Amino acid sequence: GSELRAGAMASPSPARNPTEVQMSQLVLPCHTNHRGELSTGQLLKWMDTAACLSAERHAGCPCVTASMDDIYFEHTISVGQVVNIKAKVNRAFNSSMEVGIQVSYEDLCSGKHCSICKAYATFVAQGPMGSKVRLEPLTPQTEEEKIEYSIAAERRRMRLVHKDTLKDLLTSSSQETERETRDGSGAVPAERTRVESVELVLPPHANHQGNTFGGQIMAWMENVATIAASRLCHAHPTLRAIEMFHFRGPSQVGDRLVLKAIVNNAFKNSMEVGVCAEAYGQEMSISRRHINSAFMTFVVLDQEGHPRTLPMVAPEPGDGERRYREASARKKIRLDRKYVVSCKQTEVPLSVPWDQSNKVYLSYNNVSALKMLVAKANWALAREKEKVRMYTLEEDKFLSFRIEMSVCIPASRAFSLLSNLRRRHEWDSHYVSAELVQKVDDDDMIYHVVSQKLRNENKPQDFVILASRRKPCSKGDPYVVAFRSVTLPTHPARAEFTRGETLCSGFCIWPESEEMSKVAYYNQAMPGYLNYVTTNVAGLSSDICSTFEACEKFLLKNKEDLISRLQDF
């Protein structure tokens, strides 16, 4: 720690985020498992400590871990290597804040650096007697900070609906358990993998308020989960992922923590272990308090580092069968979330298949992609005509446009009008029609859109578009309407249309006063997919600007039509 501070003093960095905390730990034999690799429990403790210190820098008071998003561990870390952890507050809400954590390792002999994982934790600030503290808002400075700040609101929304997503998938899927087509004759009874262990919470396990460190609880949970996984495979498993989880209540010094684990389901190359932590005091008569539940995914690696085939699990009747089914659903959700949410924007296919299980993550990806585009620096002014300003942004694979103007209309009204694609043909001559195919929820709709014939094409284009809209999360946030292509089995490509795709486009609307709004339209596309691209950029910009002027007339004409507020979306 002292070396770190000294290094920072030697080369001052004025732009450094005041909440940023850096931690470097040399991996010693006491931190490792039998293979000489850093135990994941120890890593979780360090991550939680760094994140907590960052949260407390912003809050100016003690903070406790409320939740941790999915963590995917990309590599193991060996004894003698250095773990570098960087944590900083991405955004503060009323009494909670999101802290971003980046973990990498450094090999001191070769100088090699490698990423281990990226995680997001939510912390709650605590005042006297555990009361909640209202936090000061955070002002992002750099482009990266602005992106993280903006998308933090989307991640928060995703956390809040996480339970519902699982419930929906279990309800919509068949009640028959999906069994793998493997010979189940040698299936291991799940009961054989059950583990129960107790820990006494001592002062070194807690913060200065006497609350047990979240990272310490996670480390104890990882320990019993590893034992349960080992009992299934009779080998030493490797932890690959931890499912998003929430701490349900605090635990204090003097508590006894009972930790229980069991293998819920084993797939071909991975297994899910369910772990639960309960607390009780000296008085056994008082019922146990549920502190936390988590789901951990393990693999068993062979000598070449490839995952081995695992034995099947025979679940117990009743609760065991339920956990078995839920584990299958969680695997599906986890793959969707990793595929859609964790991918870089350039790696997500243009048209992702939409279904009930990934609807939350596609909506997240849709809105966050637009927010990332909005936060980009280096936009260049390409044209200014009266009130309309057009900017371009050229990147490796993308050509993006931003068109903005101020309009005399309340932001909420503009939001209501522009989020309804069925009315877009009234101002955008490229649109012929938009049919509402599916109302996912109040904020997400799927439309089938038909547009005009393209130049040199003999048939019109059609699109299947997910429209996701968001009201401001806090003051200063814009209203957001985001569009992206998806695929639906009910709407395959048809011979009479050329199927088009949109990667990322949409509107951001900022209130400038009660009656004035700044309306900005964004479109990010690979040059080959951009509808309006011609060899003449001046002609292109003229076309877009005239469409946007028509949009302004549409907004002004309809701004008094208050009845449609309830019918628009």
Side-chain angles (χ1 to χ4, degrees):
S2 57
E3 286 179 20
L4 243 159
R5 284 194 296 274
M9 288 168 67
S11 54
S13 176
R16 184 163 160 178
N17 185 315
T19 70
E20 185 179 300
V21 167
Q22 295 185 13
M23 177 188 284
S24 292
Q25 296 281 1
L26 182 64
V27 178
L28 301 173
C30 61
H31 301 137
T32 61
N33 58 24
H34 68 287
R35 290 191 297 261
E37 296 166 351
L38 174 65
S39 87
T40 312
Q42 181 61 61
L43 178 58
L44 290 168
K45 282 203 279 189
W46 287 338
M47 288 168 65
D48 182 64
T49 302
C52 185
L53 292 173
S54 172
E56 289 182 352
R57 272 194 176 181
H58 180 69
C61 62
C63 296
V64 293
T65 316
S67 69
M68 187 80 80
D69 289 4
D70 297 358
I71 308 174
Y72 299 98
F73 299 99
E74 296 172 33
H75 301 282
T76 54
I77 308 168
S78 301
V79 69
Q81 293 178 330
V82 172
V83 179
N84 293 314
I85 301 172
K86 185 160 73 173
K88 60 181 174 181
V89 177
N90 290 329
R91 182 162 184 164
F93 299 98
N94 288 335
S95 60
S96 69
M97 66 204 104
E98 180 192 275
V99 180
I101 312 160
Q102 288 179 310
V103 184
S104 62
Y105 80 76
E106 174 185 355
D107 190 296
L108 295 174
C109 297
S110 66
K112 180 185 174 186
H113 289 253
C114 200
S115 173
I116 298 298
C117 65
K118 187 173 184 179
Y120 297 98
T122 303
F123 282 81
V124 174
Q126 288 199 322
M129 307 297 291
S131 60
K132 286 189 175 180
V133 173
R134 190 169 183 83
L135 296 167
E136 289 292 319
L138 192 77
T139 306
Q141 301 298 328
T142 66
E143 180 182 322
E144 181 196 351
E145 287 172 7
K146 286 175 184 173
I147 289 172
E148 291 288 10
Y149 176 91
S150 186
I151 299 175
E154 275 306 294
R155 283 190 289 263
R156 183 178 187 233
R157 184 178 186 273
M158 194 164 63
R159 284 173 205 122
L160 296 175
V161 297
H162 177 57
K163 264 191 190 171
D164 294 336
T165 306
L166 178 65
K167 204 182 295 177
D168 288 350
L169 183 58
L170 285 167
T171 306
S172 62
S173 64
S174 163
Q175 287 305 302
E176 289 181 24
T177 307
E178 245 185 78
R179 303 271 181 179
E180 291 188 60
T181 54
R182 292 194 281 156
D183 177 17
S185 57
V188 177
E191 184 59 32
R192 284 191 201 166
T193 69
R194 190 182 292 278
V195 181
E196 182 170 319
S197 183
V198 67
E199 298 282 354
L200 175 62
V201 180
L202 299 170
H205 303 139
N207 64 16
H208 39 287
Q209 284 201 315
N211 290 323
T212 317
F213 283 121
Q216 179 62 67
I217 298 173
M218 287 189 269
W220 283 332
M221 293 174 80
E222 187 265 341
N223 177 55
V224 292
T226 302
I227 296 170
S230 302
R231 287 181 177 172
L232 175 74
C233 59
H234 299 295
H236 295 290
T238 300
L239 181 61
R240 272 284 179 257
I242 302 178
E243 178 95 3
M244 183 188 300
F245 62 82
H246 300 264
F247 283 96
R248 296 166 188 242
S251 129
Q252 286 87 24
V253 170
D255 275 346
R256 281 75 171 157
L257 280 191
V258 177
L259 303 131
K260 300 175 184 176
I262 192 169
V263 175
N264 290 332
N265 201 338
F267 309 101
K268 187 178 178 184
N269 299 119
S270 67
M271 68 184 107
E272 180 194 277
V273 179
V275 204
C276 131
E278 297 173 333
Y280 67 92
Q282 273 183 311
E283 299 297 323
M284 275 295 288
S285 56
I286 299 173
S287 60
R288 294 177 179 180
R289 309 185 312 276
H290 186 183
I291 300 297
N292 190 9
S293 291
F295 303 98
M296 303 188 182
T297 302
F298 289 86
V299 296
V300 178
L301 303 176
D302 61 22
Q303 289 184 328
E304 281 76 47
H306 301 127
R308 274 172 34 186
T309 301
L310 299 173
M312 293 179 72
V313 164
E316 302 168 273
D319 273 355
E321 283 282 357
R322 174 186 56 78
R323 289 195 300 266
Y324 187 95
R325 280 198 308 272
E326 288 178 354
S328 292
R330 270 189 295 272
K331 185 187 179 193
K332 164 89 172 92
I333 289 171
R334 192 164 51 246
L335 291 173
D336 284 337
R337 192 158 57 223
K338 190 175 182 185
Y339 176 59
V340 176
V341 176
S342 305
C343 277
K344 292 174 184 167
Q345 182 62 14
T346 52
E347 293 168 4
V348 178
L350 283 178
S351 286
V352 175
W354 183 93
D355 66 38
Q356 277 295 121
S357 69
N358 70 7
K359 65 180 183 182
V360 172
Y361 313 117
L362 274 177
S363 177
Y364 166 91
N365 178 272
N366 191 15
V367 175
S368 61
L370 180 60
K371 287 184 170 185
M372 284 172 74
L373 187 59
V374 172
K376 295 259 186 194
N378 305 322
W379 285 96
L381 182 63
R383 177 181 174 129
E384 190 164 8
K385 183 187 173 190
E386 295 173 2
K387 292 186 293 183
V388 180
R389 295 172 298 283
M390 176 175 162
Y391 299 82
T392 57
L393 177 68
E394 290 187 48
E395 297 171 289
D396 290 344
K397 296 183 180 179
F398 303 114
L399 177 63
S400 302
F401 296 89
R402 174 176 116 218
I403 307 99
E404 64 182 35
M405 64 181 168
S406 291
V407 185
C408 184
I409 185 172
S412 59
R413 184 75 192 116
F415 172 65
S416 178
L417 288 164
L418 295 175
S419 60
N420 182 6
L421 276 184
R422 286 175 296 182
R423 299 194 65 174
R424 179 128 169 198
H425 70 278
E426 294 180 39
W427 59 270
D428 189 342
S429 61
H430 302 92
Y431 270 58
V432 174
S433 66
E435 171 203 358
L436 178 61
V437 174
Q438 186 161 351
K439 180 176 178 178
V440 182
D441 54 36
D442 288 342
D443 293 325
D444 295 277
M445 304 278 167
I446 299 176
Y447 294 90
H448 178 237
V449 172
V450 176
S451 73
Q452 301 283 8
K453 290 179 186 176
L454 285 178
R455 193 168 297 175
N456 305 322
E457 288 275 355
N458 58 2
K459 51 188 178 181
Q461 273 198 310
D462 76 332
F463 301 80
V464 178
I465 289 177
L466 171 66
S468 305
R469 66 181 206 166
R470 301 286 187 272
K471 291 180 178 175
C473 178
S474 54
K475 193 177 178 184
D477 285 356
Y479 288 85
V480 175
V481 186
F483 307 118
R484 69 156 293 146
S485 286
V486 292
T487 57
L488 276 182
T490 52
H491 284 71
R494 283 157 43 192
E496 64 265 36
F497 298 115
T498 301
R499 177 54 56 90
E501 293 181 309
T502 176
L503 175 67
C504 170
S505 62
F507 293 95
C508 282
I509 305 148
W510 286 269
E512 292 185 320
S513 68
E514 283 189 15
E515 288 299 319
M516 288 294 292
S517 304
K518 183 171 87 169
V519 179
Y521 174 72
Y522 295 81
N523 192 328
Q524 178 188 54
M526 294 175 186
Y529 285 107
L530 196 66
N531 297 4
Y532 316 142
V533 165
T534 65
T535 51
N536 180 352
V537 175
L540 162 66
S541 59
S542 175
D543 189 4
I544 292 177
C545 286
S546 60
T547 301
F548 213 55
E549 286 165 358
C551 176
E552 181 193 19
K553 288 175 185 167
F554 165 77
L555 291 174
L556 293 174
K557 178 185 169 188
N558 290 281
K559 77 172 184 176
E560 301 303 330
D561 183 13
L562 300 179
I563 297 167
S564 65
R565 282 191 191 211
L566 301 174
Q567 303 168 339
D568 269 340
F569 201 69

